[in-house]
Amino acid sequence: YAAKRHPTQHWVRYSPEVADARSDTFAAELAAAAERGQLRVLYQPIVDLLTGDLVAVEALVRWQHPTRGLLGPDAFIPLAERSGDIHGIGAWVLREACRQVGAWQADLPADRSLHLSVNLSPLQLERPELAGSVLEILDATGFDPHGLVVEITESALVDDRSAVPHLEALRARGVRVALDDFGTGYSSLRYLTQLPVDILKLDRCFVAELNGDPARAAVAEAVIRLSQILRMDTVAEGIEDAAQATELTLLGYRTAQGYHFARPQPAAEIERLLHQPTAV
Ligand code: C2E
Ligand code: CA
Ligand code: CA
Ligand code: CA
């Protein structure tokens, strides 16, 4: 009866050792996830707002955990950054995405292109061997560097200028650099002119504010003007409805990404989209 009245007492009570043991297991599982074939890459379409064409995909990692199910990056990337596994995971994602997108590119008609965006953790940028390992993966997979965009966050660059030479080395080979979640960090505009950046990705929180109220479009508008002055490209993130897509188009955005167009999805789904006359 006691068990029924207090079912929680039959669970292991909280104890630090048990919690540690559990997270140790999780960390060990994470360390082995790539070699056990448990990591997946989903691809989210990035579309041309005027034509609807699929112009790029962003690679987004998932972990198909044997008991916990499909885990999103928020559930394991922070741990991977603490454990150092982020370097192996990041390399795995890049290799897998280059292999996959390279195969798609080879099948495209000559007048179409498909770029690949891959996220880099600030920790990856701290490593001197980053540029070398990215270029090695490009060579090994035969992926054209001009088709690759690496997405980094503002803070990774502003806090630690040592990332700049690594990014310059990649840009020298044709890789482009996108500043992810743009507008949410604290990067000063003064730095922006000096940073090795080609693309600004307008964070989705500013897109969410675009609901017909002109004043709310202020940041989205400021970012597009800034990109024009700095001769950078833009991608608007997190478009969830047609009204936002229209508003961004009117502001001058040309490329966008969001659930309104497509969710991150497995390679097979992207392949289906690529074979449609109008991609998305
Ligand atoms: P992010 O780079 O800003 O990626 C965009 C995130 O927004 C993705 O979440 C995507 O599913 C989500 N998203 C896309 N469209 C919409 C929309 O219309 N509405 C809303 N509410 N969300 C949308 P996801 O896949 O869970 O990834 C979360 C973050 O994890 C990414 O944010 C990125 O910072 C990180 N991440 C993902 N894959 C990798 C990776 O391979 N390496 C590293 N270092 N980080 C990764
Ligand atoms: Ca990103
Ligand atoms: Ca983002
Ligand atoms: Ca983010």
Side-chain angles (χ1 to χ4, degrees):
Y1 285 110
K4 277 185 181 163
R5 281 206 308 272
H6 304 287
T8 53
Q9 289 183 358
H10 277 258
W11 297 95
V12 184
R13 268 178 301 163
Y14 176 79
S15 82
E17 302 94 271
V18 170
D20 279 354
R22 280 197 199 121
S23 60
D24 281 356
T25 309
F26 192 61
E29 288 172 337
L30 178 61
E35 72 186 36
R36 289 179 181 159
Q38 295 169 352
L39 298 182
R40 308 272 178 270
V41 179
L42 297 185
Y43 299 90
Q44 186 174 32
I46 298 176
V47 305
D48 183 313
L49 281 165
L50 297 179
T51 63
D53 282 343
L54 176 59
V55 292
V57 289
E58 178 175 0
L60 295 160
V61 70
R62 299 289 184 269
W63 178 10
Q64 185 65 61
H65 188 279
T67 55
R68 297 172 194 233
L70 191 66
L71 302 179
D74 296 342
F76 63 91
I77 292 286
L79 172 60
E81 288 177 332
R82 286 195 300 276
S83 68
D85 291 312
I86 189 65
H87 302 287
I89 291 173
W92 183 87
V93 169
L94 180 65
R95 199 176 306 113
E96 172 61 17
C98 284
R99 186 197 58 73
Q100 179 61 78
V101 177
W104 290 333
Q105 288 170 339
D107 275 352
L108 285 178
D111 62 339
R112 278 187 64 189
S113 61
L114 182 70
H115 292 143
L116 165 65
S117 255
V118 173
N119 294 285
L120 293 185
S121 156
L123 273 101
Q124 289 176 274
L125 287 169
E126 280 175 11
R127 279 215 171 163
E129 53 273 47
L130 175 82
S133 83
V134 169
L135 293 173
E136 209 174 285
I137 290 169
L138 290 171
D139 286 343
T141 55
F143 194 88
D144 178 3
H146 295 90
L148 181 67
V149 174
V150 293
E151 299 197 358
I152 62 174
T153 52
E154 289 177 66
S155 53
L157 264 186
V158 176
D159 294 350
D160 184 2
R161 304 305 283 299
S162 68
V164 171
H166 308 154
L167 295 171
E168 291 294 11
L170 292 174
R171 287 173 97 213
R173 288 281 301 272
V175 175
R176 285 174 304 151
V177 176
L179 220 42
D180 208 350
D181 306 340
F182 187 69
T184 58
Y186 44 92
S187 86
S188 79
L189 300 181
R190 186 165 64 93
Y191 280 148
L192 196 55
T193 62
Q194 305 162 10
L195 294 176
V197 169
D198 306 282
I199 300 166
L200 301 177
K201 289 194 83 171
L202 177 71
D203 190 75
R204 67 166 183 261
C205 69
F206 305 111
V207 173
E209 290 185 342
L210 293 172
N211 49 9
D213 175 355
R216 293 188 161 243
V219 174
E221 186 168 9
V223 168
I224 194 94
R225 297 289 161 261
L226 189 63
S227 74
Q228 286 159 352
I229 292 162
L230 299 174
R231 294 194 170 76
M232 292 175 181
D233 288 326
T234 51
V235 177
E237 288 193 286
I239 288 74
E240 294 187 348
D241 59 46
Q244 291 167 347
T246 305
E247 184 71 16
L248 290 163
T249 310
L250 291 173
L251 287 173
Y253 284 85
R254 189 68 201 265
T255 36
Q257 172 181 4
Y259 296 166
H260 171 61
F261 304 106
R263 296 199 168 239
Q265 43 201 292
E269 288 298 307
I270 299 292
E271 217 156 299
R272 207 177 47 77
L273 289 176
L274 284 170
H275 289 114
Q276 286 171 9
T278 295
V280 173

